[in-house]
Amino acid sequence: MFIQKKKNKSGSTSVHILQKVMGRNRIVKSLGFSFEKDEIESKLHQARELLPRLFDQMTIFDEPAAEYEHRSLSGRYGPEIVFGRIFDHLGFDAIPNQLFRDLVISALFYPGSKKRLLDYLCDHNRQEVSLENIFHFLDKLQSQYKHQTEEICFAYYEKLVGNKTGKESYRLIPLHFDKKTAKGPREKETGKSKKQKFQLMHLGVLSGKNGFPIAYDLFEETPEAHGLLQTLEKYEKRFMISLPVIIAPSGLLSKAAMEALVEKRIPFVSGVRLKRENEKIRKEIEQLAIIEGQVAKLMKPDKTKLLVHYSMIQAKKDSTARENKLKRLEKRLDEGLVSIHSINRRGFNRYLKLDKDNTISIDYKKIATERKWDGLTAYVTNTHFPSARIPNIGPELKQMWEAFRIERSDLKIKPGYHKVKERIEAMNNISFVSYALFKELERILHKRAPEISMPKAIKQIGGIKEVNHTLPNGHAQNQKIKTNEIQRKILTWVKY
């Protein structure tokens, strides 16, 4: 028996399972016909799964294997198959270093320390690499490949937009480090001094349409934003693009930095903390009647606009978080664990007050006033930023934080915990390329199947496995262990 894919006169393609009987082909099973390429591929997979059953045989593979007695097996897994194809398609195969490729792909599935990379290589039957070799490679990675990876990303981005640049944005994210360990790259100790001086760094990512990364830079934080301005000028000359819109979370751009951006007419959108605005602005916000999805605009004295957005989902989260913290505070108060020293502005202790009889109680009126701010997020801007994009700014920044592994987790070794600045920059380079692969797969899913989310796709990719059979005659045959419909679609889409 064998499978036949035949093109009909009408232009459709039919799929049949045939059997050769007395020199003639007889149709055993017809799987139907279709005009769509994806549906034809699906019918071919159905035929391959059905073929062994007609022989009363069971198989774990998508396709029947060739007949042989001896074989040696080696395999590849979904992350290497899918993201390896995307890695090559974007042009990163121009970097002839297998360790770089493994670092990039493992960052998507095994984010964390370099020991996790060793686990990834071991699980995927790859050659063993010592931890010392990995760190030695990271020390040289920044100087060798940073410029090349950025040029590859920009070249691919130009293909996506058809050389029509002009919708670029520059997202600023702070490097969050644990206060108990470090706040930045360490300086070398001199003499018997055991004190360490740390510098807080900013990570800026230049991204194009739909958030595809183009370039990145790591610079030191300064009140006047000199490092930020120099970086923007460098990108403007290097990529021949107009000044991108700076997007920053709340508290990252200082007042002096915003004034410098307004003076130089550099467009920016920065998150703000509404409760720290002046009394006049706060009263105007309290009088607003914003419904779900609406964005209100308020003018500020410095000729910037305050964009206020309301989200019912965020309001529910804020309310739930406050009620949970209030219950814990009431429990501590009942158990006598709260003293006069607990009255401060740290966390939920700001709702404690000292009564006239020197007893400590909770200021419920203050809590009631803060309920008015549930679900409100605000951004200040000096440009005509589309109101429709305001609700997406927070998720975009959060996604980028997760890509660069800046949020806290249970991992003890992170980019910021390295002693050498070159290793921090090298890890950012790895995360930058991984984020490019992530955004390319996201673009494909958004175009082909918007109903498939990225977390679901990542989970499905992790379950794909391919076995390579080396036959006695020296020929190799690749076979994939049985895949479901979503896995087959993803494998088809990344064939390019």
Side-chain angles (χ1 to χ4, degrees):
M1 291 188 185
F2 59 95
I3 300 170
Q4 181 192 55
K5 185 173 72 170
K6 183 180 179 182
K7 194 164 185 178
N8 306 323
K9 293 181 180 179
S10 61
S12 63
T13 303
S14 57
V15 179
H16 306 286
I17 297 178
L18 305 180
Q19 185 180 23
K20 204 163 190 176
V21 179
M22 299 180 65
R24 293 185 179 182
N25 295 333
R26 182 171 64 89
I27 297 178
V28 178
K29 180 79 175 177
S30 178
L31 278 299
F33 65 93
S34 177
F35 293 90
E36 300 294 332
K37 185 179 178 181
D38 291 345
E39 193 172 346
I40 294 168
E41 288 292 331
S42 178
K43 292 185 182 298
L44 283 171
H45 279 286
Q46 291 177 23
R48 292 178 188 125
E49 289 179 357
L50 185 61
L51 192 61
R53 298 177 190 174
L54 297 176
F55 280 108
D56 294 329
Q57 296 176 349
M58 295 299 293
T59 178
I60 62 172
F61 300 107
D62 278 344
E63 299 178 4
E67 295 295 332
Y68 48 84
E69 296 180 357
H70 304 285
R71 64 186 179 185
S72 61
L73 299 178
S74 62
R76 292 196 306 163
Y77 289 75
E80 188 179 350
I81 297 170
V82 175
F83 286 103
R85 291 177 183 175
I86 298 176
F87 184 92
D88 295 338
H89 177 70
L90 266 60
F92 292 111
D93 55 342
I95 300 175
N97 193 303
Q98 184 62 40
L99 185 55
F100 177 76
R101 185 190 188 99
D102 293 335
L103 280 164
V104 169
I105 296 175
S106 68
L108 291 161
F109 286 83
Y110 290 79
S113 67
K114 303 293 97 36
K115 291 182 179 179
R116 297 290 295 274
L117 171 63
L118 300 181
D119 296 337
Y120 169 80
L121 297 176
C122 180
D123 294 344
H124 292 70
N125 300 321
R126 301 292 294 276
Q127 59 181 356
E128 294 185 5
V129 182
S130 65
L131 198 60
E132 291 76 11
N133 289 341
I134 294 176
F135 284 120
H136 181 69
F137 173 72
L138 290 176
D139 291 339
K140 298 180 179 180
L141 175 65
Q142 182 74 1
S143 59
Q144 288 182 346
Y145 299 129
K146 180 183 184 296
H147 189 273
Q148 188 177 1
T149 54
E150 291 175 339
E151 291 294 331
I152 291 171
C153 281
F154 183 67
Y156 187 74
Y157 171 68
E158 282 189 314
K159 289 181 183 178
L160 289 179
V161 298
N163 296 325
K164 295 178 181 178
T165 58
K167 293 185 178 180
E168 292 76 32
S169 58
Y170 190 71
R171 290 170 172 82
L172 280 175
I173 47 181
L175 289 180
H176 289 296
F177 301 111
D178 199 327
K179 294 180 180 179
K180 296 179 181 178
T181 53
K183 293 184 180 179
R186 301 183 182 183
E187 295 180 358
K188 292 183 179 180
E189 295 183 13
T190 56
K192 296 182 179 180
S193 175
K194 294 183 180 180
K195 292 183 179 180
Q196 287 284 353
K197 295 180 180 179
F198 304 108
Q199 52 183 344
L200 183 62
M201 307 295 289
H202 282 177
L203 179 66
V205 182
L206 178 66
S207 56
K209 190 178 180 181
N210 299 327
F212 188 83
I214 300 172
Y216 76 97
D217 223 324
L218 190 69
F219 53 89
E220 190 175 352
E221 179 190 29
T222 56
E224 296 81 12
H226 291 312
L228 173 60
L229 297 176
Q230 291 174 1
T231 304
L232 292 177
E233 291 175 1
K234 180 181 69 175
Y235 288 147
E236 188 180 11
K237 294 177 182 178
R238 178 181 171 187
F239 298 113
M240 302 296 290
I241 59 175
S242 57
L243 284 172
V245 179
I246 299 172
I247 300 177
S250 59
L252 192 60
L253 289 178
S254 63
K255 187 176 180 181
M258 289 186 188
E259 290 175 355
L261 294 175
V262 171
E263 182 181 352
K264 293 183 178 293
R265 296 183 180 180
I266 298 175
F268 72 91
V269 180
S270 175
V272 292
R273 295 184 175 97
L274 289 174
K275 297 173 187 177
R276 294 189 180 182
E277 293 292 325
N278 58 50
E279 188 176 353
K280 182 182 177 182
I281 296 290
R282 290 202 304 270
K283 287 182 178 180
E284 288 182 16
I285 294 171
E286 289 177 357
Q287 293 174 0
L288 291 174
I290 315 176
I291 61 174
E292 173 72 22
Q294 270 191 349
V295 177
K297 297 181 182 180
L298 301 175
M299 294 302 298
K300 299 188 70 176
D302 56 356
K303 298 180 180 180
T304 58
K305 289 181 292 186
L306 187 68
L307 307 177
V308 185
H309 172 256
Y310 175 77
S311 171
M312 192 179 294
I313 297 175
Q314 186 61 42
K316 189 175 180 180
K317 289 181 180 179
D318 295 340
S319 177
T320 304
R322 184 176 51 253
E323 293 302 320
N324 292 337
K325 291 178 181 178
L326 181 60
K327 288 179 182 178
R328 289 198 294 267
L329 187 62
E330 289 173 338
K331 184 179 179 181
R332 288 181 59 207
L333 195 62
D334 294 339
E335 294 176 353
L337 300 176
V338 178
S339 63
I340 297 177
H341 301 289
S342 301
I343 302 175
N344 51 48
R345 294 185 179 181
R346 296 178 182 175
F348 231 61
N349 287 350
R350 64 183 183 276
Y351 298 121
L352 295 174
K353 64 176 182 177
L354 187 64
D355 297 328
K356 293 181 180 180
D357 55 351
N358 290 333
T359 57
I360 301 171
S361 62
I362 299 174
D363 191 349
Y364 289 98
K365 290 183 179 180
K366 192 174 181 181
I367 296 175
T369 56
E370 290 206 357
R371 288 194 175 97
K372 300 177 182 178
W373 304 91
D374 288 354
L376 294 179
T377 55
Y379 297 89
V380 61
T381 181
N382 64 339
T383 184
H384 300 288
F385 199 76
S387 300
R389 279 204 61 193
I390 293 299
N392 299 326
I393 292 178
E396 285 176 4
L397 288 171
K398 184 179 179 182
Q399 187 185 73
M400 193 165 287
W401 288 355
E402 291 174 351
F404 283 86
R405 288 176 282 132
I406 291 170
E407 290 188 326
R408 294 185 180 185
S409 66
D410 58 343
L411 303 171
K412 295 182 180 180
I413 303 177
K414 297 183 183 179
Y417 295 164
H418 294 301
K419 295 182 180 180
V420 187
K421 182 181 178 181
E422 285 74 15
R423 290 185 186 175
I424 299 176
E425 293 174 339
M427 287 311 305
N428 288 328
N429 195 349
I430 296 295
S431 300
F432 170 75
V433 179
S434 299
Y435 188 58
L437 305 188
F438 181 90
K439 294 301 289 185
E440 172 64 8
L441 180 61
E442 186 182 62
R443 184 189 68 83
I444 294 171
L445 291 177
H446 182 74
K447 180 181 178 181
R448 299 275 191 168
E451 70 277 4
I452 302 177
S453 64
M454 278 300 294
K456 186 177 181 180
I458 294 289
K459 184 178 180 181
Q460 293 293 331
I461 290 170
I464 298 173
K465 186 175 181 181
E466 183 182 80
V467 177
N468 178 269
H469 304 274
T470 304
L471 306 180
N473 58 8
H475 295 290
Q477 180 182 8
N478 294 330
Q479 286 185 283
K480 292 181 182 63
I481 291 180
K482 278 190 175 179
T483 53
N484 56 40
E485 187 177 355
I486 295 177
Q487 292 171 338
R488 289 195 294 269
K489 285 182 177 180
I490 293 173
L491 288 169
T492 303
W493 295 335
V494 297
K495 282 184 179 178
Y496 296 100

